[in-house]
């Protein structure tokens, strides 16, 4: 997607002590809901900082338990109560599919959410995102 720079903590974070700084510098955060996400110290730091700063979020739900997936209710229950409302209320997590055709749909839905919160959206009437077979308008 043009004008979108992706930061992936496992690849791009040069110091875990700067995690909150990286989250703060991002236009939005994507949380990949997987087993024990909210019991991971650093994932919880990320989620808490998002909640404390009202950072726009995209929730992606890993459902395949052989790949670390978790039932959505279990992820919600694992999330600390003080941030649970911010993380889950009013959000529909995007299901992460592993079959190629369905995975393309997951990626398009993630792209749609990114485009909806991008700062450049405020002064534009319409954004067109062209895919292989279709154009999406937001």
């Amino acid at each position: 997607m043009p004008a979108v720079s992706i930061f992936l903590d496992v690849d791009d974070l040069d110091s875990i002590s700067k995690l909150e700084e990286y989250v703060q510098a991002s236009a939005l955060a994507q949380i990949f809901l997987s087993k024990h996400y909210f019991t991971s110290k650093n994932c919880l730091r990320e989620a808490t900082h998002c909640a404390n700063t009202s950072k726009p979020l995209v929730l992606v739900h890993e459902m395949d338990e052989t790949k670390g997936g978790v039932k959505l209710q279990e992820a919600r229950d694992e999330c600390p109560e003080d941030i649970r409302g911010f993380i889950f209320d009013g959000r529909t997590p995007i299901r992460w599919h592993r079959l190629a055709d369905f995975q393309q749909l997951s990626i398009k839905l993630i792209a749609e959410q990114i485009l909806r919160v991008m700062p450049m959206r405020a002064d534009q009437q319409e954004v067109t995102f062209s895919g292989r077979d279709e154009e999406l308008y937001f």
Side-chain angles (χ1 to χ4, degrees):
M1 290 187 330
V4 173
S5 174
I6 305 294
F7 168 82
L8 184 59
D9 56 1
V10 296
D11 291 338
D12 301 320
L13 184 64
D14 62 1
S15 172
I16 196 64
S17 66
K18 297 180 180 178
L19 179 62
E20 288 83 358
E21 292 175 40
Y22 281 97
V23 171
Q24 189 62 36
S26 300
L28 70 105
Q30 178 178 300
I31 291 179
F32 198 79
L33 297 170
S34 57
K35 194 168 193 79
H36 303 303
Y37 174 87
F38 292 105
T39 60
S40 161
K41 177 184 171 186
N42 291 321
C43 292
L44 186 56
R45 283 175 57 202
E46 176 182 51
T48 300
H49 190 73
C50 288
N52 290 341
T53 60
S54 299
K55 180 67 64 181
L57 286 180
V58 175
L59 297 181
V60 179
H61 178 209
E62 173 61 75
M63 300 184 319
D64 185 342
E65 292 183 19
T66 65
K67 304 289 186 188
V70 63
K71 290 181 173 65
L72 191 55
Q73 187 60 49
E74 289 176 17
R76 185 179 174 88
D77 292 344
E78 187 179 87
C79 182
E81 189 174 339
D82 61 325
I83 64 171
R84 188 177 301 149
F86 176 81
I87 301 294
F88 288 98
D89 292 353
R91 299 183 204 283
T92 302
I94 297 166
R95 293 179 179 169
W96 182 249
H97 294 281
R98 297 206 170 255
L99 296 174
D101 289 339
F102 293 112
Q103 193 173 66
Q104 289 297 319
L105 175 61
S106 296
I107 292 169
K108 285 181 181 181
L109 292 170
I110 292 167
E112 174 186 1
Q113 292 300 312
I114 291 170
L115 289 170
R116 288 187 188 281
V117 300
M118 290 296 295
M120 65 183 168
R121 294 268 308 135
D123 63 347
Q124 292 179 336
Q125 294 292 336
E126 185 175 271
V127 173
T128 304
F129 178 67
S130 298
R132 286 188 306 176
D133 302 322
E134 61 188 290
E135 288 189 350
L136 303 175
Y137 298 94
F138 302 100

